[in-house]
Amino acid sequence: MTTTAASEASTRQIPIVDYLVLQGDPHLVANACASCGALFFDRRNACASCGTTSFEKKSLATTGTLRSFTIVSRAAPGVPVPYVSCTVALDGDGMVKANLVGVEPDPASIELGARVRLTTFPCGVDEEGTEAVAFGFTPA
Ligand SMILES: [Zn+2]
């Protein structure tokens, strides 16, 4: 019990991408064009849709609908396969690519249009115990 408390206290977490926010309920944050509302996860000098140069941060929904998926059978050394890569249309606005987790990597067990929700999981730890946290989607 003491060991558990000590390890929890010493575990630091960092998101694997800077548009993943771990504080509170984990969620994604996009740069929304101040003029047309187009969403971008990376930093832009100008909106690719309308050319406006001002953006505001927008927190996105953690739930959405499975729009497409593919089962990945070959990957870089050290990456376990097969896994499911997918795109999710988030409720409200925003399209995001991520892994679909918590399902068999089999087309028969995945349904387009299924409701999914954001989930996070550790994907590596450095020598100092800092944990990298990735996100994916899982059936809601
Ligand atoms: Zn725009």
Side-chain angles (χ1 to χ4, degrees):
M1 206 156 178
T2 308
T3 310
T4 303
S7 73
E8 279 173 7
S10 66
T11 300
R12 270 177 22 91
Q13 293 186 317
I14 56 166
I16 196 162
V17 290
D18 60 12
Y19 54 87
L20 171 63
V21 175
L22 297 175
Q23 288 74 32
D25 289 332
H27 64 281
L28 304 178
V29 173
N31 298 305
C33 172
S35 176
C36 76
L39 299 176
F40 304 95
F41 286 116
D42 53 346
R43 198 199 69 81
R44 298 283 173 122
N45 289 326
C47 175
S49 183
C50 75
T52 295
T53 56
S54 64
F55 295 88
E56 46 208 33
K57 293 287 183 193
K58 181 179 180 183
S59 294
L60 303 181
T62 57
T63 53
T65 303
L66 184 66
R67 274 296 166 82
S68 68
F69 70 91
T70 189
I71 295 170
V72 180
S73 303
R74 299 178 66 183
V79 177
V81 289
Y83 65 88
V84 184
S85 181
C86 70
T87 55
V88 172
L90 296 173
D91 293 339
D93 198 7
M95 187 76 82
V96 62
K97 179 179 168 296
N99 285 8
L100 185 65
V101 300
V103 296
E104 284 297 311
D106 176 350
S109 58
I110 303 167
E111 191 177 352
L112 289 177
R115 298 289 299 159
V116 294
R117 63 177 171 78
L118 186 83
T119 186
T120 60
F121 50 90
C123 62
V125 180
D126 72 9
E127 307 86 33
E128 287 156 9
T130 301
E131 191 174 73
V133 178
F135 72 93
F137 288 85
T138 192

